[in-house]
């Protein structure tokens, strides 16, 4: 391994150790006590592994709150057991499926990926379920990213219909826009699907709560 790489690794690890040390020093045992016996998250988050998508953009405190499942392309079926664990064993009342702009998995699926290794191919193959048949070539990458999010929500609706019907689970599709492609600010989170209902990109709580109220009325019907 060359010297420059070793230096980079050493610097990164130094950063990790120093950050952890200051984390330990700035927290007392009281901070950990509530969740040492067991975890009690309130949301299962299925998102893409992309390093540009990180929880601090929308969760100020994610410890013991967010049960996170990540893979390339935020797909349910490639991590079905983990998503089941959050929804059925930890009983989080929300499952959020979060995609993001400039998703490399969707880009690779759309442009052809047979040259990548077998393991990567195997994961990307699952996107056939949500993105095939390919529609007009005119459609943007963002169109397919959103289509994948909606399709993943549809899969979740089938998997967890009982809980959803009882009002015990809300499935949300969301989009994270770190590149301001939607013109609403860098790092904006949009809700784009509520229990299978495609909604206009919601970014404010007032609009979201209006849609949520409608959704709970539908539940009661
Ligand atoms: Zn991605």
């Amino acid at each position: 391994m060359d010297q420059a790489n070793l230096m980079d690794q050493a610097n990164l690890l130094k950063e990790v150790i120093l950050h952890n040390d200051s984390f330990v020093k700035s927290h007392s045992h009281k901070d950990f006590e509530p969740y040492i016996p067991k975890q009690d998250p309130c949301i299962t988050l299925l998102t893409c592994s992309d390093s540009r998508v990180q929880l601090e953009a929308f969760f100020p405190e994610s410890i013991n709150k967010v049960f996170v499942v990540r893979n390339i392309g935020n797909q349910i079926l490639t991590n079905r057991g983990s998503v089941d664990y959050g929804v059925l064993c930890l009983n989080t009342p929300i499952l959020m499926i979060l995609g993001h702009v400039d998703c490399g998995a969707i880009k690779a699926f759309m442009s052809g990926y047979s040259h990548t290794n077998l393991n990567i191919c195997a994961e990307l193959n699952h996107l056939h379920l949500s993105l095939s048949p390919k529609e007009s070539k005119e459609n943007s990458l963002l169109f397919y990213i959103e289509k994948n999010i909606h399709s993943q929500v549809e899969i979740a609706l089938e998997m967890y219909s009982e809980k959803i019907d009882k009002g015990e689970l809300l499935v949300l599709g969301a989009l994270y826009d770190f590149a301001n492609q939607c013109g609403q600010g860098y790092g904006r989170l949009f809700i784009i699907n509520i229990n299978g209902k495609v909604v206009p990109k919601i970014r404010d709580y007032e609009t979201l709560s209006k849609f949520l109220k409608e959704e709970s009325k539908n539940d009661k019907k």
Side-chain angles (χ1 to χ4, degrees), residues 44-49 53-55 57-59 69-71 73-75 95-101 103 145 148-149 152-153 172-177 188-192:
T44 298
L45 176 71
L46 170 64
T47 189
C48 184
S49 303
V53 179
Q54 297 297 350
L55 268 58
F58 21 84
F59 291 108
V69 182
R70 301 189 76 152
N71 60 49
N74 38 271
Q75 307 178 59
L95 166 62
M96 181 186 277
I97 297 166
L98 176 68
H100 65 96
V101 297
C103 183
I145 287 165
N148 179 48
I149 296 165
Q152 301 298 333
V153 169
L172 298 173
L175 173 75
Y176 179 55
D177 181 10
R188 183 70 67 189
L189 177 79
F190 297 101
I191 303 298
I192 65 169

Side-chain angles (χ1 to χ4, degrees), residues 75-179:
Q75 307 178 59
I76 288 201
L77 295 179
T78 54
N79 281 98
R80 192 173 174 152
S82 300
V83 181
D84 268 3
Y85 191 77
V87 172
L88 301 177
C89 299
L90 298 172
N91 290 306
T92 63
I94 295 177
L95 166 62
M96 181 186 277
I97 297 166
L98 176 68
H100 65 96
V101 297
D102 198 43
C103 183
I106 310 298
K107 215 190 274 182
F109 183 83
M110 299 315 295
S111 60
Y113 56 95
S114 54
H115 57 285
T116 60
N117 86 28
L118 283 176
N119 299 324
I120 299 172
C121 279
E123 283 209 25
L124 291 177
N125 279 340
H126 282 268
L127 286 170
H128 275 291
L129 286 172
S130 49
L131 296 179
S132 297
K134 289 178 187 171
E135 293 174 40
S136 156
K137 281 188 179 147
E138 317 272 288
N139 287 324
S140 64
L141 175 62
L142 188 58
F143 170 87
Y144 287 105
I145 287 165
E146 291 183 22
K147 186 174 180 202
N148 179 48
I149 296 165
H150 295 309
S151 301
Q152 301 298 333
V153 169
E154 289 301 321
I155 295 170
L157 294 181
E158 277 187 33
M159 285 168 63
Y160 307 121
S161 59
E162 213 173 296
K163 268 187 164 269
I164 296 163
D165 291 347
K166 284 188 203 157
E168 293 172 3
L169 178 70
L170 184 68
V171 180
L172 298 173
L175 173 75
Y176 179 55
D177 181 10
F178 59 78

